[in-house]
Amino acid sequence: MKPYFKLKSRNQLQNDILNHFNPLPAKKMSLDDALGRVVAENVISPEDLPPFSRSTMDGFAVNAVDTFGASESQPALFEVVGEVAMGKSPEGIEIQPGQAARIWTGGELPSGSNAVVMVEYTQAIDENTIEVSRSVAPLENVIEAGEDVGKGQKVLDSGAVLRAQELGILAGLGITSVKAHPAPRVAIISTGDELVPADTTPPRGKIRDINSTTLSALSRLAGANPVNMGIITDNRGGLSEACRKALELPADVVLVSGGSSVGVRDFTLDAFKAVKDAKILAHGVSVKPGKPTILAEACGRALVGLPGHVASAAVVFLLFVYPLLKRMQGFTDARHLGLPCVNARISRNYPSRPGREEYLRVRLVEDESGLVAEPVFGKSGLIYPLSQADGLLVIPRDSEGLYANETAEVLLLP
Amino acid sequence: MKPYFKLKSRNQLQNDILNHFNPLPAKKMSLDDALGRVVAENVISPEDLPPFSRSTMDGFAVNAVDTFGASESQPALFEVVGEVAMGKSPEGIEIQPGQAARIWTGGELPSGSNAVVMVEYTQAIDENTIEVSRSVAPLENVIEAGEDVGKGQKVLDSGAVLRAQELGILAGLGITSVKAHPAPRVAIISTGDELVPADTTPPRGKIRDINSTTLSALSRLAGANPVNMGIITDNRGGLSEACRKALELPADVVLVSGGSSVGVRDFTLDAFKAVKDAKILAHGVSVKPGKPTILAEACGRALVGLPGHVASAAVVFLLFVYPLLKRMQGFTDARHLGLPCVNARISRNYPSRPGREEYLRVRLVEDESGLVAEPVFGKSGLIYPLSQADGLLVIPRDSEGLYANETAEVLLLP
């Protein structure tokens, strides 16, 4: 048995992640590619949006003051001096006192007008004359030039998340590419002499690789691009070679599941140590499941050794790899770096051992007084209980367990 | 002015969506493509997982009864009769009383053994003899054949959402493709003589198309595949032709923004009516913003007319198109069909007009007593205020508004 280094707490390891890894260098990307990404520049508007004052209604452009006092019983008369054709400049139309121009929703207000009377409040008298039966205030039914965004205005702060509406703003300003942090590339390696790929019928003594599929899906849910590197049998040279290949992809994060413990067949630590400039940040973390976890850093890239048992690997992914991938994507807010969480009452007594934080798979159900977390039991080598779970209930490090109906934090599974 | 049909309420229109549209026909797809999709078959396990009893520890496979009474002071002696090589069948090893076999994590238990003693509780005496200083119970440190999933067990119910762990189960069982509801294809058409594409410098009187980008991003966030069909100028024939082309893609949903109101330049209703077998389900909905909304159905496909103003279009998308797209993907749970929502106190008095539900853009902040919703003001033709908002506060249909500190529901923007 090789010894573990001193176990780190979850907090210590999560701090290591924030301290040792940075957002990936930003790249110019199309708006399509930028959805959900974090912008890496302040975006200043190069122009006014809209570029001219626009009508928000179908009606007549007027100078508001000419409508003051108009009512159903005492309508105001206007001479109609033209029509603003849609998508055309209203050049040549100049609204004088007592004059109006036909205008459509989205049309540019002609010179001399500052408001639009809705067509519903007008009545044609003859070909060139209308009655207006309601007064309008200046700027009524108008979006002014620059009212949405002014030229020189900062529309996006570096660090903002690009949602549909932020992409809409960029499109509206003619900005069709933006500097943002790209998706990290995650190389996924499964280790174990007993593994065969999922599409292969295992001979006696072997089983199919579950971790590659599970970790690949979790990586995608965290916004990253997974690359499946296949199965490496348990030998030091093969694993070192696989890590080297992964870094050459280049991968930003290399995940190795299995072989991260301290047994004589556990080569992950050695393989990471053999990577050029690698620095081991942690070997062993005081969470259950998940104790045999390795985190190393090499030239800004991360090497993570996860337990071979699938439920343990998933917990370690969610606690450490998920925030690592979010960090690399430039997210800074705690709300984005971790899983969403809720409070729930546990449905039964559950004993735990102090000295480590325990993550219990739970199903969430709602009763009259709120959320109830029902433990889903099963060894950490099993995948099926994880599919019965909605979240991970956190039993604090110094606790001997929870009594039925005690409230605890539940991290929601993605 | 053409008349509106009778306005429908939000509830009525949402019920129309559930009643008139069905999940898209399921397709076999790879596990990669199936992430986040809804499975459309019961999945029964064709085999035991694991296929044989496995050790969860490095140690020695024994018959548990032989360890009973063993302690540090009175260790039990075992003859080591072999080693289970990783990934190999333990054929030829047959554990007799008093015998043990070396085994590694994941190894197959040899015949005659039913538990594993961790290596930490053993001591080598000579080449073929160990002392065991702790008793183990039958099945201790063992995952039995079929303990994760039994042959013939239903592992997925039709209608389940395929998360990382469900894909992991399928991989573990050698099932590498699954029948699931595919992503709907959404054709997006912007109408308006005043529009130019985002990458074009608009001449006088024109502005850039914001809706295509915004609706495309919202469609992707709802799990659909958007196809941008470009800008159609305001004429009846052009729009009918664009709808026909969209349906030929084939699109499952056609979104037309602009032209859905009742003005003389609003051709969306006519264009939808011209589609073969089209049935208009609604024209006009009593929500603000969003009144000029059209929903039509043609051979199971949906045609949706959205308001031209971007904030209105976004609200209509989130209230009606989002659940439509989720419905087509086979989601059934209310939690998946609508946006997540929270309760928050409004920060100031806000008047509203009864007779329609109002959706107010709000920023959410947290104070000592919970979430506070601060209205973000701005006309519905503006995009910038939408980027300042975290959610849409719902003002009920029969309400004249809310007083400061009243609690209301807030739909969270995706």
Side-chain angles (χ1 to χ4, degrees), chain A residues 1 31-36 47 49-52 54-58 83 86-91 102 104-109 119-120 139 141-144 147-149 153-156 163-176 192-195 198-200 202-210 213-218 220-221 234 263-266 309-310 335 379-391 413-414, chain B residues 1 31-36 47 49-52 54-58 83 86-91 102 104-108 119-120 139 141-144 147-149 153-156 163-176 192-195 197-200 202-210 213-218 220-221 234 263-266 309-310 335 379-391 413-414:
Chain A
M1 302 281 293
L31 300 191
D32 257 8
D33 290 340
L35 180 62
E47 60 191 46
L49 180 67
F52 48 82
R54 306 178 73 200
S55 176
T56 63
M57 294 289 172
D58 291 351
E83 171 178 341
M86 275 308 292
K88 299 280 185 225
S89 155
E91 268 166 35
R102 192 108 169 89
W104 308 98
T105 304
E108 175 173 348
L109 261 69
V119 68
E120 288 89 332
L139 303 181
N141 301 322
V142 169
I143 293 176
E144 279 187 285
E147 181 175 339
D148 200 346
V149 175
Q153 181 185 334
K154 186 164 64 172
V155 288
L156 289 178
R163 302 173 298 169
Q165 48 270 56
E166 282 75 26
L167 299 182
I169 291 176
L170 295 175
L173 297 173
I175 301 170
T176 54
D193 289 338
E194 77 280 24
L195 299 178
D199 58 5
T200 301
R204 273 287 302 273
K206 302 217 183 208
I207 66 162
R208 294 193 184 85
D209 174 23
I210 294 179
T213 298
T214 309
L215 295 173
S216 164
L218 288 173
R220 285 172 60 202
L221 294 173
D234 291 325
V264 293
R265 302 177 58 79
D266 291 318
H309 287 157
V310 60
R335 188 165 57 99
K379 302 187 177 105
S380 61
L382 308 184
I383 178 76
Y384 187 71
L386 205 55
S387 85
Q388 301 303 297
D390 301 307
L413 296 176
Chain B
M1 301 280 294
L31 300 190
D32 256 8
D33 289 341
L35 179 63
E47 59 189 48
L49 180 67
F52 48 81
R54 304 177 75 200
S55 176
T56 64
M57 293 289 172
D58 292 351
E83 171 178 341
M86 276 308 291
K88 298 282 186 224
S89 154
E91 269 167 34
R102 193 105 169 91
W104 309 99
T105 304
E108 175 174 348
V119 66
E120 289 88 332
L139 302 180
N141 301 322
V142 169
I143 293 176
E144 278 188 286
E147 180 175 341
D148 200 345
V149 174
Q153 179 184 335
K154 185 162 68 170
V155 288
L156 288 178
R163 303 173 297 168
Q165 49 269 54
E166 283 75 25
L167 300 182
I169 291 177
L170 296 175
L173 297 172
I175 301 169
T176 55
D193 291 338
E194 78 280 23
L195 297 180
D199 58 5
T200 302
R204 272 289 301 274
K206 302 218 183 209
I207 65 161
R208 295 192 183 87
D209 173 24
I210 293 179
T213 298
T214 309
L215 295 172
S216 165
L218 288 173
R220 285 172 62 202
L221 293 174
D234 290 324
V264 293
R265 303 177 58 79
D266 290 319
H309 287 158
V310 60
R335 189 165 56 98
K379 301 186 176 105
S380 62
L382 309 184
I383 178 74
Y384 187 71
L386 205 56
S387 85
Q388 301 303 295
D390 301 307
L413 296 176

Side-chain angles (χ1 to χ4, degrees), chain B residues 288-340:
Chain B
K288 183 196 172 188
K291 181 176 168 185
T293 293
I294 304 170
L295 177 66
E297 182 267 337
C299 304
R301 269 94 70 77
L303 301 147
V304 188
L306 301 107
H309 287 158
V310 60
S312 312
V315 168
V316 169
F317 184 99
L318 295 170
L319 292 183
F320 305 112
V321 182
Y322 185 93
L324 168 67
L325 294 173
K326 292 291 182 176
R327 166 79 173 167
M328 287 184 162
Q329 291 169 76
F331 291 95
T332 50
D333 190 307
R335 189 165 56 98
H336 290 119
L337 287 169
L339 297 178

Side-chain angles (χ1 to χ4, degrees), chain B residues 341-361:
Chain B
C341 88
V342 295
N343 286 317
R345 287 172 297 121
I346 189 168
S347 63
R348 43 172 291 166
N349 295 342
Y350 186 82
S352 183
R353 220 177 63 200
R356 62 186 187 193
E357 217 169 23
E358 184 165 349
Y359 290 83
L360 179 62
R361 288 161 283 185

Side-chain angles (χ1 to χ4, degrees), chain A residues 172-183:
Chain A
L173 297 173
I175 301 170
T176 54
S177 68
V178 64
K179 227 175 130 182
H181 300 289

Side-chain angles (χ1 to χ4, degrees), chain A residues 284-358:
Chain A
V285 57
S286 53
V287 303
K288 181 193 174 187
K291 182 176 168 186
T293 293
I294 305 170
L295 177 65
E297 182 267 340
C299 303
R301 270 96 69 77
L303 300 147
V304 187
L306 302 106
H309 287 157
V310 60
S312 312
V315 168
V316 168
F317 184 99
L318 295 169
L319 292 183
F320 305 112
V321 181
Y322 184 94
L324 169 67
L325 293 174
K326 292 291 183 177
R327 166 77 174 171
M328 286 182 164
Q329 291 170 75
F331 291 95
T332 50
D333 191 306
R335 188 165 57 99
H336 290 119
L337 287 170
L339 297 178
C341 87
V342 296
N343 286 318
R345 285 172 299 121
I346 189 167
S347 64
R348 44 172 291 167
N349 296 343
Y350 186 83
S352 183
R353 220 178 62 198
R356 62 187 187 193
E357 216 170 22
E358 184 165 349

